[in-house]
Amino acid sequence: MTTTAKKFKNPRAKHDFKGRSCSIVAVGSYVPEKVLTNGDLEKLVETSDEWITSRTGIKERRIAAKDQFTSDLATQAALRAMERGGIKPEQIDLIILATITPDMPFPSTACLVQHKIGAHRAAAFDIEAACSGFIYALEIGQQFIMSRTYDTVLVIGAEKLSSIINWKDRNTCVLFGDGAGAAILQNRPQSHGLLTACMGADGAKAELLCMPGGGSRCPATPESLSAGLHYLRMDGKETFKNAVGAMCTAAQEALRRCELDITQIKCFIPHQANQRIIDAVGERLNVKPEQVFMNLQKYGNTSAASVAIALDEAVQSGRVQRGDLILMVVFGAGLTWGAAVIEW
Ligand code: UT7
């Protein structure tokens, strides 16, 4: 156990987990090669680099190739995590993939990834919690490990948001990008790991951020297509307000459960949607600028992949060392939100 580990409470300890511990043994991420800059968007819609940068902090985003799907992005991220962790495909017991842009409505994208990485022993399913998906998936994965059901779980957040963007709508098309991030969870008793994760939702505000078409309420028809119902829609202002409140509450709850103070957090990784949201949350939580990890300037909002990619970049860049405490906070459609404390 590290020195840091002795200074906080592990909320899992009060349960009868007897020697079980959920460790994040490796992370990986992948973003497509194609870069779409704010300058490129100026040619598509009436916008400007100045507006996008000052209102969001985003400078560019990655766009998947036509023949590259969410399962392909997820597979690349998973393979990188497996290589770093020395995990063989046959060791994986379960794959949980968070996405709102599956390759198709069914079968699940997790099943497609299972085949692509050769994890033939693994059970596989998708979850849908929009931008909160990676934290939801981490928490679900952890439950399987702590309950002794599985020993090795692959958790992925992956999106090809470019496939549901209306490229004529300047309110939304400047905000999003494609990418994937993955984490491998294992039972490693007495080791570092996921200390707590909290999740929340408010379905009364489902309309604020949604894609109305394509489900059982509004199946695809020529009329639904011409009405643009298969594109992502967002009430930006209301979403913004809800995001700040929910992210602060979730972060405080996660810290409270571990009896931690924000000053003990080495790296604060918020959902990468808008720099102004991150600044507002940081200010309310008294987070110092040097604690905040941000990469939205490079990738925009990649929904379920957002904090997963950021965690990988924080680790690979050396911003986070073994034993450091990380606070991750997310918010998305549903509405959904969540936070997790990790001892890296
Ligand atoms: O991942 C889930 C969580 N997602 C979020 O949390 C996103 C939350 N929302 C936001 O990040 C912000 O609300 C936006 C970035 C989407 C918008 O920023 P805002 O400060 O709330 O701007 P606004 O919606 O109030 O729009 C201000 C103006 C409008 O013009 P009028 O009506 O004042 O004349 C918009 O039409 O900016 C206009 N506008 C643009 N102008 C240039 C909207 N998009 C653009 C654009 N370029 N791309």
Side-chain angles (χ1 to χ4, degrees):
M1 217 184 263
T2 65
T3 328
T4 330
K6 290 174 193 142
K7 292 182 192 158
F8 57 82
K9 178 181 142 192
N10 182 343
R12 307 287 175 198
K14 70 175 186 283
H15 301 291
D16 185 24
F17 291 134
K18 287 206 181 103
R20 300 291 285 187
S21 174
C22 178
S23 179
I24 301 181
V25 295
V27 285
S29 65
Y30 173 82
V31 289
E33 268 171 43
K34 188 182 168 191
V35 176
L36 186 71
T37 65
N38 291 349
D40 297 330
L41 284 164
E42 286 174 355
K43 293 171 201 141
L44 286 180
V45 286
E46 204 184 320
T47 190
S48 64
D49 174 45
E50 197 283 325
W51 191 96
I52 303 170
T53 307
S54 63
R55 307 308 290 163
T56 72
I58 301 164
K59 296 298 281 184
E60 56 189 43
R61 64 290 289 146
R62 300 299 180 96
I63 304 294
K66 271 207 166 76
D67 60 353
Q68 199 176 28
F69 313 116
T70 297
S71 65
D72 299 310
L73 310 182
T75 296
Q76 290 307 318
L79 290 173
R80 286 178 182 181
M82 288 160 65
E83 195 186 334
R84 287 194 189 119
I87 302 292
K88 296 194 176 63
E90 56 274 18
Q91 279 177 268
I92 299 171
D93 299 308
L94 173 67
I95 301 169
I96 308 172
L97 190 146
T99 190
I100 52 167
T101 49
D103 283 24
M104 50 191 136
F106 71 89
S108 72
T109 304
C111 282
L112 306 179
V113 172
Q114 185 242 30
H115 177 61
K116 285 182 187 186
I117 64 174
H120 303 301
R121 280 187 51 251
F125 62 85
D126 286 0
I127 64 141
E128 207 259 61
C131 303
S132 308
F134 190 69
I135 297 292
Y136 268 61
L138 273 184
E139 172 64 357
I140 298 166
Q142 163 159 266
Q143 295 297 336
F144 278 106
I145 286 181
M146 299 308 256
S147 67
R148 295 182 156 73
T149 312
Y150 295 123
D151 284 328
T152 303
V153 178
L154 170 61
V155 171
I156 309 170
E159 302 284 9
K160 184 176 179 178
L161 290 169
S162 58
S163 65
I164 58 164
I165 295 299
N166 179 354
W167 291 101
K168 291 181 180 152
D169 176 13
R170 71 175 183 172
N171 290 295
T172 51
C173 77
V174 303
L175 303 173
F176 299 97
D178 302 333
I184 295 165
L185 312 183
Q186 274 193 329
N187 169 43
R188 293 209 177 159
Q190 306 306 319
S191 171
H192 41 75
L194 184 55
L195 300 181
T196 195
C198 34
M199 307 182 285
D202 181 4
K205 292 177 179 164
E207 306 287 325
L208 287 185
L209 179 49
C210 63
M211 188 175 87
S216 59
R217 188 193 290 196
C218 178
T221 61
E223 293 74 30
S224 75
L225 284 174
S226 61
L229 300 183
H230 302 270
Y231 292 128
L232 174 155
R233 289 179 174 188
M234 178 169 69
D235 177 338
K237 263 200 188 337
E238 275 307 306
T239 306
F240 189 115
K241 275 191 249 166
N242 280 277
V244 175
M247 287 169 79
C248 289
T249 308
Q252 281 158 345
E253 171 62 14
L255 291 172
R256 192 195 59 74
R257 285 191 199 175
C258 302
E259 294 178 2
L260 278 170
D261 187 76
I262 192 71
T263 56
Q264 292 169 273
I265 297 297
K266 178 73 193 305
C267 192
F268 175 61
I269 304 182
H271 173 46
Q272 308 283 310
N274 186 319
Q275 181 165 0
R276 290 186 297 135
I277 294 177
I278 295 174
D279 290 347
V281 172
E283 201 172 305
R284 287 195 195 183
L285 294 175
N286 285 322
V287 181
K288 293 201 176 76
E290 59 269 24
Q291 289 171 285
V292 182
F293 187 88
M294 223 166 24
N295 62 5
L296 64 75
Q297 60 283 3
K298 296 189 289 181
Y299 308 131
N301 180 350
T302 56
S303 188
S306 161
V307 289
I309 298 172
L311 175 64
D312 183 42
E313 290 199 343
V315 170
Q316 307 316 328
S317 66
R319 267 291 293 277
V320 169
Q321 304 287 335
R322 282 291 175 199
D324 285 346
L325 291 170
I326 303 169
L327 173 63
M328 296 169 90
V329 190
V330 291
F331 176 83
L335 300 176
T336 54
W337 55 85
V341 178
I342 295 164
E343 187 202 6
W344 184 250

